[in-house]
Amino acid sequence: MTTATPTALNPQILGQAENAHRALLERALTGTGLTYRHWVTLKIAAAGGQTVQQQQLAGQVAGALKIDAQAAGESIARLTAAGLLEVRSGTAGLTAQGHDLHQRLSTAIGQTISQLYSAVSPEDLQVAGRVLAAITARADAELATA
């Protein structure tokens, strides 16, 4: 009987996992007119509650996607033009159409993720979450010094 050698976490494994997740997300976005960047913007706007300051939303999007504020603003403008976000007096919030699309996509994506992760123990998922959060925090700190 042979035993499998445990795979150490490395950038290649992280990249492969991210690429697989993103491909599944982009499949879910097919037909919506949204790109990955737009989805992240919509998701962050939804997490902000009813409304969020437009500059705050742009900052959160820029931070999450590691893009500049102009690119984040363009994503907000695209969602506004599509009728998914409404911007008034410096605040942004989901429209009814944006809320409905967010809910529909979140449900579909959630089902896919549940299926993917169901083969992994809750304990292992917690460890993976802590490790990835620590790596992300260190990478963010490194980016902040550049």
Side-chain angles (χ1 to χ4, degrees):
M1 173 162 60
T2 61
T3 57
T5 304
T7 304
L9 184 62
N10 62 55
Q12 181 179 0
I13 290 172
L14 286 172
Q16 289 171 346
E18 172 60 17
N19 290 339
H21 279 82
R22 188 161 176 173
L24 289 168
L25 172 61
E26 288 177 354
R27 184 171 71 183
L29 295 176
T30 300
T32 66
L34 298 182
T35 65
Y36 172 74
R37 185 179 289 184
H38 299 139
W39 167 247
V40 172
T41 305
L42 190 70
K43 189 81 173 156
I44 291 171
Q50 294 286 24
T51 61
V52 63
Q53 291 297 315
Q54 185 176 1
Q55 287 184 331
Q56 180 183 359
L57 176 60
Q60 290 173 336
V61 170
L65 292 171
K66 312 299 184 244
I67 58 175
D68 62 36
Q70 180 179 345
E74 289 168 2
S75 186
I76 292 167
R78 165 66 177 84
L79 293 176
T80 302
L84 301 173
L85 277 180
E86 182 175 49
V87 177
R88 284 191 186 171
S89 303
T91 60
L94 295 182
T95 63
Q97 180 184 354
H99 178 73
D100 290 345
L101 181 60
H102 173 261
Q103 286 298 109
R104 185 170 51 84
L105 288 170
S106 291
T107 298
I109 293 163
Q111 290 171 345
T112 299
I113 294 300
S114 291
Q115 291 170 354
L116 293 177
Y117 291 16
S118 67
V120 181
S121 74
E123 295 80 15
D124 283 349
L125 289 172
Q126 287 180 355
V127 169
R130 285 193 304 273
V131 168
L132 293 173
I135 290 170
T136 301
R138 293 195 67 175
D140 285 345
E142 180 66 25
L143 288 168
T145 64

